[in-house]
Amino acid sequence: MRLSMRRSAFLVGAAACALTAGLAAGQAYPTKPIRLIAPYPPGGSSDILARILGEKLTGPLGQRIIVDNRPGAGGSLGTGIASTATADGYTWVVGSVAPIVLNPLFYKTTYQSLRDFEPISVIAAAPQLIVVNPALAVKSMADLIALGKSKPGSINYGNSGTGTLPHLGGEMFATITGVRITHVPYKGSPPALLDLMAGQVQVVFADMPVALPYVKSGKLRAIAVAGAKPFPLTPGVPTAIDAGLQGLVLDNWWGLLTMKGVPQKIVGKINAEIVKALKQPDVIERYTALGIESVTSTPQQFTNIIKSDLARYLKVIKDAGIKVEVN
């Protein structure tokens, strides 16, 4: 009887020690530097956001956050590298609509976003900006539609390449309005905007951070934002929905993800620190300078955004009959 009681006491004590050790390990995170993969070159939006975030979270987490640029394949290379990391919370990746939502729909990527990643939080957002050359007699979406209907096939729209958010913007515009426009792909938004200023194309569905400086300088005219609501950094510019184009919403977002299987306690801790960091006035000021809005979410909200975008853009691809590599 005594032996049995001693054995029971030992087992209970061992279990309690194991539980305490587990809790201590969770509370201690992180105990070493964290790798933050930015799947685009230095100087781009993803890289800048990664560095702002790394700088702001280093103090609260007590460990260095090392930004690792892994550009290539429209963000798929670095995102794919991140997907193979150990699920211990020491590898993060900055994701955006292109590598997380669109690339897996268009191409045979080595990863599947919801299968391989644990969303932590949205960290920034900006709708696409619809811009024209100021010399063009188009001052609104209504003018653009009227031009397209009066001269079918006369509108060429530049974008940052097949399978990108700006590409789908043009396809959505054509589907909603019935206006036939010609897709002219470029290797990124900057060359598309340069050709727009040169009059080689008539309209660009552009990435906000790239196009906004040209609008502010008067080199381009913004006729709409492709957001669900007006964008605070473009006061006076109506949404495409305001112009009657229901459903023309192209919200780009950036978010932080880690590997599937990372304990929820760690995910929650990172999320809490992100929310605190992105409310700081100097961060909001730096975001504003980029043409991006500081936005956060819960992990579940971020997961829901990815699910919704995957379903919505898959429908756009099918409706427009766009050819993809994925079976």
Side-chain angles (χ1 to χ4, degrees):
M1 181 70 174
R2 288 180 180 176
L3 182 60
S4 177
M5 290 175 65
R6 287 176 183 174
R7 176 180 170 81
S8 297
F10 173 78
L11 291 173
V12 170
C17 288
L19 178 60
T20 302
L23 289 173
Q27 291 166 351
Y29 171 87
T31 58
K32 62 181 181 180
I34 294 163
R35 179 192 189 194
L36 174 51
I37 295 177
Y40 289 96
S45 300
S46 292
D47 171 69
I48 294 171
L49 291 172
R51 294 182 189 281
I52 291 173
L53 199 61
E55 174 189 317
K56 287 297 177 180
L57 295 187
T58 291
L61 292 178
Q63 292 291 336
R64 283 195 311 144
I65 297 171
I66 303 166
V67 176
D68 182 7
N69 293 93
R70 293 300 185 101
S76 289
L77 178 62
T79 307
I81 291 171
S83 71
T84 64
T86 303
D88 56 7
Y90 289 94
T91 301
W92 305 346
V93 62
V94 174
S96 56
V97 173
I100 298 300
V101 175
L102 299 182
N103 291 359
L105 293 178
F106 274 91
Y107 309 109
K108 294 177 181 177
T109 56
T110 60
Y111 60 89
Q112 289 297 319
S113 301
L114 294 175
R115 180 194 68 192
D116 298 328
F117 292 104
E118 197 73 55
I120 299 174
S121 177
V122 174
I123 60 172
Q128 296 287 289
L129 189 61
I130 304 171
V131 291
V132 298
N133 189 308
L136 191 68
V138 169
K139 295 184 178 181
S140 66
M141 291 299 287
D143 289 344
L144 184 65
I145 295 168
L147 175 63
K149 289 186 174 180
S150 65
K151 297 180 180 178
S154 65
I155 297 178
N156 296 319
Y157 79 99
N159 58 75
S160 52
T162 300
T164 62
L165 204 54
H167 171 209
L168 293 187
E171 297 297 336
M172 291 170 75
F173 172 83
T175 299
I176 294 168
T177 64
V179 173
R180 183 164 56 88
I181 58 177
T182 304
H183 167 218
V184 183
Y186 290 84
K187 292 183 178 179
S189 288
L193 292 173
L194 289 175
D195 264 12
L196 177 62
M197 287 183 278
Q200 300 301 312
V201 294
Q202 285 67 52
V203 61
V204 172
F205 293 74
D207 295 325
M208 179 71 72
V210 183
L212 191 55
Y214 292 116
V215 172
K216 289 181 176 180
S217 67
K219 293 179 179 178
L220 292 174
R221 176 185 295 137
I223 59 173
V225 291
K229 59 183 180 180
F231 191 56
L233 305 186
T234 54
V237 180
T239 67
I241 294 174
D242 292 333
L245 282 75
Q246 295 297 324
L248 185 52
V249 175
L250 299 155
D251 281 320
N252 194 11
W253 46 256
W254 293 260
L256 193 70
L257 305 97
T258 189
M259 287 63 260
K260 183 67 75 176
V262 169
Q264 288 302 305
K265 188 169 186 177
I266 290 176
V267 171
K269 181 173 184 176
I270 302 167
N271 177 275
E273 295 301 339
I274 288 173
V275 171
K276 290 180 197 173
L278 297 191
K279 287 181 179 177
Q280 296 178 21
D282 64 316
V283 172
I284 294 171
E285 185 178 339
R286 291 167 75 178
Y287 271 45
T288 300
L290 291 171
I292 295 172
E293 190 175 12
S294 176
V295 178
T296 59
S297 71
T298 66
Q300 187 58 55
Q301 287 169 337
F302 190 12
T303 299
N304 292 342
I305 288 169
I306 294 171
K307 285 181 179 178
S308 175
D309 279 0
L310 283 167
R312 191 162 68 92
Y313 291 123
L314 179 60
K315 184 177 186 303
V316 172
I317 291 167
K318 289 181 176 179
D319 288 349
I322 302 171
K323 293 182 180 179
V324 299
E325 290 182 6
V326 180
N327 294 325

